Amino acid sequence: MARRSPFASEEMDGFLGKGTSFAGDLVFNNKMRIDGKFRGTIRSDNFLSIGETAEVEADVDVAVLHVTGKITGKIRATDRVEIHPPGKVIGDVRAPNLITRSGAVFRGTCFIGDEDEDSSPMQPERSFFKGAS
C-alpha cells in the first residue's frame, strides 16, 4: 500500500518556503509546512511538517509533528511526533507517541504516553533561546 502524503486532498493553511525566514507567533487551523527558518511559538490542533531544509527554534503545541529538518525547542503533540531522516529534534518532547526512524536524531528529554488530567501542559520558556529576553 502506497503511503499517502500528509497534504493529500486536505486544505493546507500555509507554507514557509526554503530561503525565507520568520519570527513570531504562528497559529493555524489546518496543515502547515515549514522549509525555511522560523523562530518563536507555533500552535495548532492539526499537522505541522518541518521539511528537510527547515531550521526551527520554537515552542510547539500541535496534534502531529512530522520532522525531516531541524527543530530546537519544547514540543507538545496531542497525537504524535515523527522524526524521519535526516531530521533532528533537540529539546523536550511530550506526546502520546514518539516515532523515530533509523538515521533520525533526537537529543533531549521526553514524556511519552497520555497526559494525566492533573498534569499541567509544558509552558513555553522564551529564555530557552540564546538572546531571548
Side-chain angles (χ1 to χ4, degrees):
M1 178 180 202
R3 188 171 177 126
R4 249 183 75 191
S5 164
F7 296 105
S9 74
E10 291 188 31
E11 192 173 334
M12 184 169 63
D13 276 344
F15 177 76
L16 183 63
K18 181 179 178 180
T20 60
S21 63
F22 183 80
D25 298 322
L26 176 62
V27 179
F28 58 95
N29 292 321
N30 292 309
K31 295 182 178 188
M32 179 79 185
R33 180 176 173 104
I34 298 175
D35 282 338
K37 294 182 180 183
F38 179 87
R39 183 177 181 156
T41 61
I42 302 172
R43 288 178 287 134
S44 178
D45 290 331
N46 214 314
F47 184 96
L48 173 63
S49 177
I50 305 298
E52 279 192 42
T53 58
E55 294 179 26
V56 176
E57 292 183 39
D59 292 331
V60 177
D61 189 349
V62 295
V64 177
L65 177 63
H66 182 272
V67 179
T68 56
K70 181 178 179 184
I71 182 168
T72 304
K74 291 192 174 205
I75 298 165
R76 179 179 173 271
T78 56
D79 185 354
R80 69 187 180 277
V81 173
E82 297 182 19
I83 311 168
H84 299 268
K88 295 179 183 176
V89 173
I90 301 165
D92 300 331
V93 173
R94 178 181 289 260
N97 301 290
L98 174 63
I99 300 164
T100 57
R101 303 288 185 209
S102 180
V105 174
F106 171 65
R107 277 189 238 138
T109 60
C110 61
F111 176 86
I112 305 303
D114 293 327
E115 292 187 23
D116 296 329
E117 288 182 21
D118 296 325
S119 68
S120 60
M122 291 178 13
Q123 297 296 316
E125 293 182 20
R126 289 282 187 170
S127 60
F128 177 78
F129 304 109
K130 293 178 183 177
S133 55

